[in-house]
Amino acid sequence: MYFKSKDILDNKPPEDYGVLSNRILGGSFLFSGTEKHTTVMDVKLTEGTKVNKYIKLGSTILLGLLFLGAAALFSNKDGSVSAQSQVIEAADKSTSGKVEYIKVSTSAEDYTVHVRDKIKLVEVSETYLNGQLQNKIIVSEGGKRVTSIGRDHETGKLVGTTWLLPKNIAAENERILKISLLEKQKEELKLKKWNMTQTLKEDGRSLQQVTSEQTDQKEIVYIDELTGLPVKREIYLKDAQGEWKKDTEKIEEYKYFESLPFQFLSIENVGIFLKTITEILFCVHFSDYSYN
C-alpha cells in the first residue's frame, strides 16, 4: 500500500496499493480423480464349433474396443494428472526467486508493473495508461524510504516527492518486502483443475500450455519447459451469449531476476523534492490490501 505524505497528514485513506500489502496465503491442493469402471462379460457357448468361433471372434473385437476405450480414458486421466502436478510444481517454484516481476494488463497500453527484490528489500510499482507512465512508487532502504512520482495536473510533467517513514511503518515494510509478490497467484493456481493442451514456441522458448475452465471463467497458463516456471496467465470471461470472449479480461506476465534491473530505479528527468514525515495521524492495516 503506497501513500503520499500529504495524504497521511490530511488523514486521507491510501490511494494505491503496493509494498504495504500483506498477502501471506496458504493454499490447499484439491484433486478430483476419474472413477474406474470395469465391465465383466460372461459368454456361454451352447452350440457347435462354428457358432463358438463367431462368438469368440465377436468377443475378441468387443474386448479390443473396450481395451482401446479404457486406454483412452486412462491416457486422458494421466494427462490431467501430469498437467496438475506440473502446475503445482511451477506454482511452488514461482515464489522461491530473489527478484520477482509481475505485469498485469487489461489492454496492450494499460497495465501495472510490480518488481520486488526480496534480498535488498526494494520494491518498484509503475502504472501506465495509454502506454504512458502515470505514476511510479519506489520503496527502498529496507522499507524506510518512499519515493512517489506522478504527473503534474497542470504541466503533465513527472514530478516527485521522497520521504522517510516512521519506524513502525518502516518495520512493517521490511517484513512484507521479504514475502513473495506471487503468493496470491500461487494459491490460485494450486486450487484449480488443469488439463494439458499443447506445447508452443515463443521468444525462443518452449512453453507448455495448460488450461482450466470453470462455469464463467477460463484460464490459460504458460510454463517455461526449461525452467519449470510460469511465465504468463491469461483470463477469459463469457459474453452475454455464453460464449468465451476473444479478448482477454486480464493478462499476468511473470519474470524472475537474480538482481533488480537498474531501469526500475531510474528517476531521470524527474524533479524530486525531499520531505521527511515525522508524524503519522492514522494507522493503516496493511494486510487488508492485496494485488488483484
Side-chain angles (χ1 to χ4, degrees):
M1 183 67 203
Y2 297 111
F3 46 83
K4 301 177 182 176
S5 57
K6 185 175 183 301
D7 291 341
I8 293 175
L9 299 178
D10 291 344
N11 196 24
K12 291 182 179 180
E15 296 178 344
D16 200 354
Y17 57 78
V19 67
L20 308 183
S21 166
N22 181 6
R23 297 180 296 105
I24 304 177
L25 303 171
S28 60
F29 170 37
L30 303 180
F31 174 73
S32 177
T34 303
E35 293 183 3
K36 300 179 181 178
H37 298 280
T38 303
T39 302
V40 179
M41 297 181 63
D42 183 10
V43 179
K44 183 177 181 182
L45 303 181
T46 57
E47 301 298 332
T49 305
K50 195 170 183 178
V51 176
N52 187 38
K53 172 183 174 182
Y54 288 114
I55 292 179
K56 284 184 177 180
L57 177 60
S59 299
T60 301
I61 294 173
L62 182 57
L63 289 174
L65 292 173
L66 287 173
F67 175 78
L68 290 175
L73 172 65
F74 286 107
S75 175
N76 182 61
K77 178 184 175 183
D78 290 343
S80 298
V81 172
S82 176
Q84 198 76 18
S85 60
Q86 189 173 2
V87 171
I88 290 173
E89 183 178 355
D92 285 332
K93 290 181 69 175
S94 69
T95 58
S96 61
K98 297 178 182 178
V99 181
E100 299 166 343
Y101 165 107
I102 177 172
K103 176 182 178 182
V104 182
S105 306
T106 53
S107 72
E109 294 189 327
D110 299 334
Y111 56 89
T112 59
V113 171
H114 304 281
V115 187
R116 179 177 293 176
D117 187 332
K118 296 187 293 183
I119 305 302
K120 294 185 178 180
L121 304 184
V122 176
E123 179 171 313
V124 181
S125 293
E126 299 175 339
T127 300
Y128 291 81
L129 292 177
N130 300 317
Q132 188 176 53
L133 177 65
Q134 298 300 309
N135 58 66
K136 180 171 185 171
I137 304 291
I138 302 174
V139 178
S140 57
E141 299 180 25
K144 298 176 184 177
R145 179 173 295 280
V146 175
T147 302
S148 176
I149 299 168
R151 292 201 173 272
D152 184 274
H153 292 295
E154 295 181 358
T155 66
K157 294 181 179 180
L158 289 171
V159 295
T161 304
T162 183
W163 65 90
L164 291 174
L165 292 170
K167 290 184 179 180
N168 61 327
I169 303 300
E172 179 69 0
N173 271 356
E174 181 181 11
R175 181 185 68 82
I176 294 171
L177 283 168
K178 298 175 182 177
I179 301 170
S180 172
L181 275 177
L182 304 176
E183 286 291 344
K184 182 173 183 289
Q185 283 73 16
K186 172 182 174 179
E187 181 195 36
E188 291 176 349
L189 291 177
K190 294 175 75 171
L191 286 174
K192 291 181 170 62
K193 294 169 60 177
W194 298 93
N195 292 295
M196 205 77 73
T197 50
Q198 62 178 325
T199 300
L200 48 87
K201 294 284 186 179
E202 184 176 296
D203 297 330
R205 297 179 298 182
S206 181
L207 304 180
Q208 181 64 57
Q209 185 187 78
V210 294
T211 304
S212 177
E213 280 194 27
Q214 288 80 48
T215 303
D216 56 356
Q217 179 173 303
K218 178 171 67 174
E219 294 189 22
I220 300 176
V221 169
Y222 301 85
I223 300 173
D224 189 322
E225 289 194 332
L226 181 62
T227 64
L229 289 164
V231 295
K232 186 163 66 172
R233 179 187 185 193
E234 300 174 343
I235 299 176
Y236 295 84
L237 300 180
K238 286 186 175 180
D239 58 23
Q241 288 70 43
E243 301 293 333
W244 294 115
K245 294 181 180 179
K246 293 182 179 180
D247 297 327
T248 55
E249 181 72 13
K250 182 171 68 172
I251 296 177
E252 296 180 353
E253 298 173 68
Y254 317 118
K255 295 180 182 179
Y256 313 88
F257 304 105
E258 284 297 309
S259 60
L260 183 64
F262 177 75
Q263 69 190 70
F264 292 110
L265 296 176
S266 174
I267 52 175
E268 293 182 3
N269 303 319
V270 178
I272 300 295
F273 303 94
L274 298 178
K275 185 174 182 179
T276 301
I277 294 178
T278 56
E279 296 182 31
I280 189 159
L281 303 181
F282 66 96
C283 178
V284 180
H285 295 283
F286 308 107
S287 59
D288 294 342
Y289 302 92
S290 63
Y291 292 106
N292 293 316

